[in-house]
Amino acid sequence: MKQDMIVILDLGSEKNPQIAREIRALGVYTEIHPHDITEQELAALPGVKGIILNGGPNRVVDGVEIDASEAVYKANVPVLLVDHKGNAPWPKDEAERKESLRRFVFDQCGAEANWNMENFIADQVELIRRQVGDGKVLLALSGGVDSSVVAALLIKAIGKQLTCVHVNHGLLRQGEPEQVVEVFRHQMDANLVYVDAVDRFLDKLAGVADPEQKRKIIGGEFIRVFEEEARKLDGIRFLGQGTIYPDIIESGTKTVKAVKSHHNVGGLPEDLDFELVEPLKMLFKDEVRACGVALGLPDSMVYRQPFPGPGLGVRCLGAITRDRLEAVRASDAILREEFAKNGLEGKVWQYFTAIPDIKSVGVRDGKRADEWPVIIRAVNTVDAMTATVEDVPFALLQHITYRITHEVKGVNRVLYDLTPKPTGTIEWE
């Protein structure tokens, strides 16, 4: 359906994503574009009701203050200039700014609040069908939020024309590979290729302690496995990809003009010549989650915590061993279960366990026991650039400690990481 749009032109502001999210929260669609958008490019955007010229501290590039073209100033729609050539900046109060936006969007621009997830899904289903036709789409389905929502949206649009490939590299959290199979193969009746590559990955990782080398092995091996599966399939013309709006916004610097290339999944070989299908590329992360809910995905999948690409491979610190990897998986499951039972699941941004490649002396069954320590990490953040440590009740930490030391084989200690970011990072590797 046709929807109204407010265009934000980037004149060096760091608040562009925040302003865009606040306008969308009003029920009006918005996009961020480079400051030097041409008259033709602007005219090609559908339903433009107003333009915001959003200036900021980065608007001087190579000694020259960037500005929009005359065509923007002469556009037949209201234009709001913010912190630009002497104009007032955004109000510092979060509530006052939202009211200022509301007045501009509705009173001055006359926009309608017709941006919602149901309309987005309907639009994308139509666009996907138009793009794909009777072709076939291949999707690497990790079980993460973005790939899961893309899969659900593609299933709704083209059904059996989609083939999902789920590679189990042995580094996922407890129950995640099984959930992918249950949700997509059994509940959504998707074409799902499940690849058990656990031994293949862990054999490649044996004895490798350097974190960056582990990442390279995991990423490179995934590419090889996915490529092998792709070559087994006939008639695949399209590649589904979970690109989301922050991927595009953050890939630029002072404007979004320098968008990174999304021509493959993590560096797939160029001879796998696919056309991309990226239906989520204009959504923010919270909107991706809302889309997943609207498509019927389970909350445990939609609200899945941020999870590093190498998975538990960077939480099994140092050289990965199978027994220590299982201890990481089991202790992480206990932590997540207890946080959920005690109301912390939606409150804490990220929490996990890590086990270093060291042992300490302890006592088990009255005898000396040299076993591993488990490190608990629980942090809150807005942008992942800085993070604070969650103040977990001591009684709960004691209970989690008891469970981990009594239920996880090979563990005799539990430590709580009290380090914020900086000086620590969120992950240990």
Side-chain angles (χ1 to χ4, degrees), residues 140-210:
L141 177 57
S142 68
V145 178
D146 301 337
S147 70
S148 296
V149 175
V150 168
L153 188 52
L154 289 170
I155 290 167
K156 183 177 180 67
I158 57 173
K160 294 291 187 177
Q161 292 169 249
L162 171 69
T163 297
C164 299
V165 176
H166 177 62
V167 179
N168 181 5
H169 49 32
L171 304 171
L172 296 172
R173 289 175 288 199
Q174 186 169 293
E176 289 184 330
E178 295 83 358
Q179 184 184 41
V180 169
V181 173
E182 172 60 28
V183 170
F184 289 99
R185 178 180 288 168
H186 299 149
Q187 296 179 17
M188 294 191 156
D189 194 30
N191 284 330
L192 176 64
V193 176
Y194 174 82
V195 184
D196 184 347
V198 174
D199 290 340
R200 178 171 174 171
F201 275 81
L202 296 186
D203 288 347
K204 291 273 186 181
L205 289 164
V208 179
D210 180 71

Side-chain angles (χ1 to χ4, degrees), residues 270-288:
E270 292 288 347
D271 58 349
L272 288 181
D273 188 19
F274 298 127
E275 181 181 334
L276 286 183
V277 180
E278 300 176 293
L280 305 182
K281 67 182 179 181
M282 300 310 292
L283 293 188
F284 291 102
K285 192 72 172 188
D286 58 325
E287 295 169 336
V288 173

Side-chain angles (χ1 to χ4, degrees), residues 1 11 40 44 48 70 81 93 116 133 153 162 166 205 207 215 228 230 280 298 330-331 376 380 384 389 411 421 429:
M1 64 169 290
L11 293 175
Q40 293 75 20
V48 176
E70 282 298 315
L81 289 79
D93 180 65
N116 57 57
L153 188 52
L162 171 69
H166 177 62
L205 289 164
R215 282 181 167 86
E228 290 168 13
L280 305 182
S331 60
I376 294 176
N380 293 305
V389 177
V411 170
K421 179 182 181 180
E429 285 190 345

Side-chain angles (χ1 to χ4, degrees), residues 22-23 35 49 75 86 102 109 114 141 149 168 170 182 209 237 240 254 257 276 332 337 362 409-410 421 429:
E22 289 175 351
I23 293 174
H35 70 284
K49 290 290 187 176
R102 191 201 66 76
C109 300
N114 53 13
L141 177 57
V149 175
N168 181 5
E182 172 60 28
R237 291 174 43 212
K254 299 173 181 63
K257 190 147 190 172
L276 286 183
D332 177 80
E337 180 185 332
K409 186 177 180 181
K421 179 182 181 180
E429 285 190 345

Side-chain angles (χ1 to χ4, degrees), residues 291-421:
C291 184
V293 170
L295 289 166
L297 290 176
D299 284 356
S300 58
M301 186 171 278
V302 170
Y303 294 103
R304 182 181 189 257
Q305 283 191 43
F307 195 51
L312 299 182
V314 292
R315 294 176 181 173
C316 188
L317 308 178
I320 297 171
T321 61
R322 295 185 184 232
D323 52 358
R324 193 154 48 88
L325 178 62
E326 288 310 311
V328 174
R329 199 181 336 263
S331 60
D332 177 80
I334 290 171
L335 180 68
R336 289 190 291 132
E337 180 185 332
E338 289 298 331
F339 268 40
K341 288 195 316 192
N342 288 274
L344 296 176
E345 185 176 46
K347 181 185 174 213
V348 183
W349 183 78
Q350 189 172 15
Y351 44 94
F352 58 87
T353 62
I355 301 183
D357 189 14
I358 59 172
K359 288 186 176 181
S360 67
V361 66
V363 178
R364 190 172 297 282
D365 299 326
K367 299 178 182 178
R368 175 189 176 106
D370 293 318
E371 297 178 328
W372 303 300
V374 164
I375 302 162
I376 294 176
R377 186 85 163 126
V379 296
N380 293 305
T381 182
V382 173
D383 55 10
M385 300 302 293
T386 62
T388 58
V389 177
E390 175 67 18
D391 185 10
V392 180
F394 188 66
L396 177 56
L397 287 176
Q398 287 180 305
H399 177 65
I400 293 171
T401 298
Y402 181 87
R403 284 198 60 190
I404 289 176
T405 54
H406 285 73
E407 297 176 31
V408 180
K409 186 177 180 181
V411 170
N412 64 2
R413 293 179 188 268
V414 174
L415 315 174
Y416 190 61
D417 185 351
L418 292 171
T419 314
K421 179 182 181 180

Side-chain angles (χ1 to χ4, degrees), residues 229-242:
E229 296 302 321
R231 296 194 188 285
K232 294 176 185 177
L233 302 169
D234 294 326
I236 301 290
R237 291 174 43 212
F238 300 90
L239 183 69
Q241 189 159 283

Side-chain angles (χ1 to χ4, degrees), residues 1-6 18-31 47 49 98 101-103 105-106 110-120 123 284 286-287:
M1 64 169 290
K2 183 179 178 182
Q3 58 194 8
D4 293 342
M5 183 195 303
I6 302 296
Q18 182 180 1
I19 300 304
R21 290 164 63 88
E22 289 175 351
I23 293 174
R24 289 190 185 185
L26 295 171
V28 178
Y29 184 63
T30 184
E31 290 182 3
K49 290 290 187 176
K98 290 178 181 178
L101 281 172
R102 191 201 66 76
R103 289 196 299 268
V105 169
F106 295 118
E112 292 185 25
N114 53 13
W115 160 249
N116 57 57
M117 203 45 62
E118 289 70 24
N119 289 344
F120 170 81
D123 287 345
F284 291 102
D286 58 325
E287 295 169 336

